[in-house]
Amino acid sequence: MNKELRSEWHLLPLFGEKEKQADLLIISGPCSAESQSQMQATASGLARAGVKFFRAGIWKPRTRPGSFEGIGAPALKWLVNSANQNNMTPLTEVANEAHVRAALRAGLRNFWIGARTTTNPFAVQEIADVFAQLPEDVKHSVTVLVKNPVNPDLELWIGALQRLYVSCIRRLGAIHRGFSAYGEKFYRNRPEWRIPVELKRRIPELPLICDPSHIAGRRGLVEKVARQAVDMNYEGLIIESHCNPDSALSDKDQQLLPEDVGKLISSLGKRRGKAPDNCLFTLRDEIDNIDRELVGLLARRMNVAREIGELKRVHQIPVLQPERYRSLMEERIEEARELGLSPDFMKKIFSTIHDESVNQQLQ
Ligand code: PEP
Ligand code: MN
């Protein structure tokens, strides 16, 4: 989205005015609605833990056929009833027009769009079109949370949010659930924090909710990711939970017991401190000065690179000199290591600088 459009995001609080004051929005519930008793037991456990928003997947987009694909429409009443009986607000995932219509008929007003759906503009548009046709009062009560697409494509994520915005959905939020990465072992979905950070920079008024369950992929890592999100000042968390996680029909490795969700949220304090005196100000001032020096040094470096480019042109020497690039990289990484900087970080910085030098010499 360009700068001109940015100022047009006029959003309303998620889930209606009543939740405006909530400190940290907590949504929890099972990956999938499996049975009436599982939904009841999970909802009542979560209500005891103070959770107000109850999630469950009714239609499950699975990577491979043959896995449990959700109960479908018959489970909607389990979601609505177990939420109502426990004084919670229900939410579910919708991936096409039929899902939205069935969920609306069951009385649901709060939805999320899953990571696989966000990648598909046709599907998102189909969903947005259903919302666009709703009577004004219903439309204004609808909340839609858009998960990031499975691939690290910020424009696709923003595009999905825009499609809903254009359909006059004003209770909009984004869910950061991580990105698929081939061969990743630590996370199920790599967080790539810079992408939601950039989303927040581009649309500051958009609430950002983290889904530590789908990032982590395993129970033991959920708390760490949740804590990072809170430290990053996210507005909320969506955490998968199940009354008996080991028997769950989908995502059993990452679901928490409702009481463990309670323990987790009571241990998560939002950072609300103030830096003593002018300490933060002074350090930021120092960072600003260092950054200015860096910019000056980069400009000097590019000037020299252009002079070298000119010499190479006159003497008919090719622009790219792999041997020089290799030795420069090795030496800088070694020097940086001695100063306590990570080799990975140096590699990224110097390959970007080198790319730009090559560009300058090609002009
Ligand atoms: C889910 O929330 O259960 C789900 C399917 O998530 P995602 O779209 O993030 O994979
Ligand atoms: Mn899940």
Side-chain angles (χ1 to χ4, degrees):
M1 179 181 287
N2 60 31
K3 281 202 186 80
E4 291 69 49
L5 274 171
R6 210 202 88 175
S7 58
E8 289 172 25
W9 291 86
H10 296 294
L11 299 177
L12 294 171
L14 302 177
F15 309 113
E17 302 291 332
K18 65 181 165 131
E19 295 307 326
K20 214 152 90 183
Q21 273 96 23
D23 183 27
L24 183 66
L25 180 74
I26 304 289
I27 303 166
S28 189
C31 179
S32 309
E34 299 165 5
S35 68
Q36 190 161 1
S37 58
Q38 167 243 10
M39 291 292 278
Q40 265 301 343
T42 309
S44 61
L46 289 169
R48 278 194 297 278
V51 175
K52 300 255 180 348
F53 297 92
F54 188 45
R55 64 147 281 161
I58 303 291
W59 301 276
K60 298 303 299 177
R62 303 310 298 276
T63 304
R64 304 242 225 120
S67 321
F68 173 65
E69 295 195 319
I71 299 282
L76 284 166
K77 60 178 181 308
W78 303 337
L79 171 60
V80 173
N81 292 344
S82 48
N84 285 347
Q85 283 158 21
N86 291 284
N87 219 1
M88 296 162 102
T89 303
L91 294 86
T92 198
E93 173 175 348
V94 285
N96 60 32
E97 174 177 352
H99 296 165
V100 181
R101 292 200 188 284
L104 284 166
R105 269 198 305 277
L108 279 156
R109 293 292 179 269
N110 308 302
F111 310 93
W112 79 85
I113 293 184
R116 292 160 192 79
T117 308
T118 309
T119 55
N120 180 352
F122 288 133
V124 177
Q125 192 58 53
E126 177 180 314
I127 293 167
D129 288 345
V130 183
F131 290 131
Q133 294 154 16
L134 293 175
E136 289 302 300
D137 57 328
V138 180
K139 199 184 317 191
H140 287 137
S141 65
V142 164
T143 288
V144 185
L145 306 175
V146 180
K147 287 202 174 196
N148 65 255
V150 284
N151 52 326
D153 184 340
L154 177 61
E155 300 311 318
L156 204 49
W157 198 359
I158 293 180
L161 288 155
Q162 272 184 307
R163 286 176 199 278
L164 292 153
Y165 190 84
V166 168
S167 295
C168 290
I169 297 298
R170 291 291 177 268
R171 301 187 193 280
L172 271 180
I175 301 178
H176 169 215
R177 53 76 83 190
F179 302 87
S180 305
Y182 186 69
E184 174 68 73
K185 293 276 186 314
F186 191 69
Y187 293 106
R188 178 177 177 195
N189 291 293
R190 219 181 258 177
E192 309 278 14
W193 296 97
R194 70 201 149 84
I195 296 176
V197 165
E198 176 62 9
L199 175 66
K200 193 72 179 173
R201 193 188 68 76
R202 303 257 294 265
I203 317 175
E205 46 281 87
L206 186 73
L208 204 48
I209 292 168
C210 181
D211 175 345
S213 311
H214 288 88
I215 291 177
R218 54 198 157 101
R219 235 172 308 251
L221 192 57
V222 172
E223 179 175 341
K224 175 188 154 102
V225 179
R227 206 169 284 286
Q228 287 173 332
V230 172
D231 287 348
M232 298 278 283
N233 211 17
Y234 277 45
E235 278 83 356
L237 298 170
I238 177 166
I239 302 170
E240 283 192 342
S241 55
H242 192 291
C243 56
N244 184 2
D246 290 333
S247 72
L249 299 179
S250 58
D251 288 351
K252 71 184 168 79
D253 296 335
Q254 68 194 33
Q255 304 204 57
L256 302 184
L257 283 167
E259 57 260 41
D260 290 338
V261 174
K263 284 184 203 143
L264 172 59
I265 54 186
S266 55
S267 78
L268 289 172
K270 253 205 170 189
R271 294 186 179 190
R272 344 194 129 272
K274 275 200 169 19
D277 303 317
N278 286 333
C279 176
L280 196 57
F281 176 84
T282 313
L283 289 172
R284 281 184 173 156
D285 191 49
E286 194 177 336
I287 288 277
D288 286 346
N289 289 333
I290 295 172
D291 285 353
R292 283 187 200 108
E293 277 177 43
L294 282 174
V295 172
L297 286 172
L298 287 170
R300 250 178 74 198
R301 193 189 194 283
M302 291 309 150
N303 282 339
V304 177
R306 277 192 294 272
E307 273 183 50
I308 294 180
E310 190 49 27
L311 268 177
K312 284 178 180 166
R313 194 184 59 77
V314 170
H315 296 281
Q316 289 296 292
I317 302 169
V319 166
L320 196 61
Q321 299 283 319
E323 188 45 39
R324 161 77 182 146
Y325 179 44
R326 199 188 53 76
S327 66
L328 171 155
M329 195 70 128
E330 273 176 12
E331 285 167 26
R332 290 304 94 77
I333 287 177
E334 206 31 56
E335 289 158 8
R337 202 197 302 269
E338 282 169 21
L339 294 173
L341 293 166
S342 102
D344 262 6
F345 174 54
M346 274 306 105
K347 247 183 237 160
K348 279 187 208 146
I349 296 272
F350 274 101
S351 63
T352 306
I353 292 176
H354 185 263
D355 284 355
E356 181 57 18
S357 287
V358 169
N359 277 341
Q360 294 289 327
Q361 297 187 357
L362 287 174
Q363 279 163 12

